[in-house]
Amino acid sequence: MEFTAPGRHDDCGMVREILDRIGDKWSLYIIATLKDGPVRFNALRRRIDGISQRMLTITLRGLERDGMVRRTLFPTIPPRVEYELTDIGRSLLAPVMALTMWADANRTNIRDARLRYDAGGDGA
């Protein structure tokens, strides 16, 4: 596969913004948690270890703004809110899983390279 850099400065900025969104600390956890269908806010918070209510809210809003997540408000008392992946969000699952598998397959080599580098070796 050949990588072609975006042609215009505006394109680069937009690509960088998208990569920043999916590369932040919580977005991929949320996307992975939503892979099997809609999930309520509090269930998401329980399933994602270490995320605060504020960070979950902020990250969900960003993912919704970018079209990766859909928020559905049900007019019940109390109101019920569910989040689910859109088609764009679901299309991200395959590359994310490929990257996760790559990281898993290479974790030992990367750990060893870090140890060599930190010990003053050449890192190769």
Side-chain angles (χ1 to χ4, degrees), residues 113-122:
R114 288 177 179 177
L115 290 171
R116 283 192 306 274
Y117 182 89
D118 291 347
D122 65 2

Side-chain angles (χ1 to χ4, degrees), residues 43-61:
L44 267 174
R45 196 170 58 149
R46 283 190 301 271
R47 293 180 191 177
I48 302 172
D49 188 40
I51 194 168
S52 68
Q53 180 171 335
R54 180 176 185 275
M55 281 311 303
L56 180 56
T57 298
I58 289 169
T59 307
L60 283 167
R61 284 181 184 160

Side-chain angles (χ1 to χ4, degrees), residues 22-87:
I22 62 173
D24 72 15
K25 184 173 182 178
W26 299 112
S27 290
L28 294 181
Y29 286 106
I30 291 170
I31 289 166
T33 303
L34 294 174
K35 72 178 172 36
D36 294 324
V39 180
R40 292 178 70 172
F41 181 90
N42 284 326
L44 267 174
R45 196 170 58 149
R46 283 190 301 271
R47 293 180 191 177
I48 302 172
D49 188 40
I51 194 168
S52 68
Q53 180 171 335
R54 180 176 185 275
M55 281 311 303
L56 180 56
T57 298
I58 289 169
T59 307
L60 283 167
R61 284 181 184 160
L63 291 168
E64 184 180 7
R65 179 176 182 247
D66 288 346
M68 295 181 214
V69 168
R70 179 180 305 111
R71 178 183 186 267
T72 304
L73 174 63
F74 296 91
T76 59
I77 297 179
R80 186 180 83 190
V81 178
E82 288 183 347
Y83 295 89
E84 64 183 317
L85 294 177
T86 62
D87 290 342

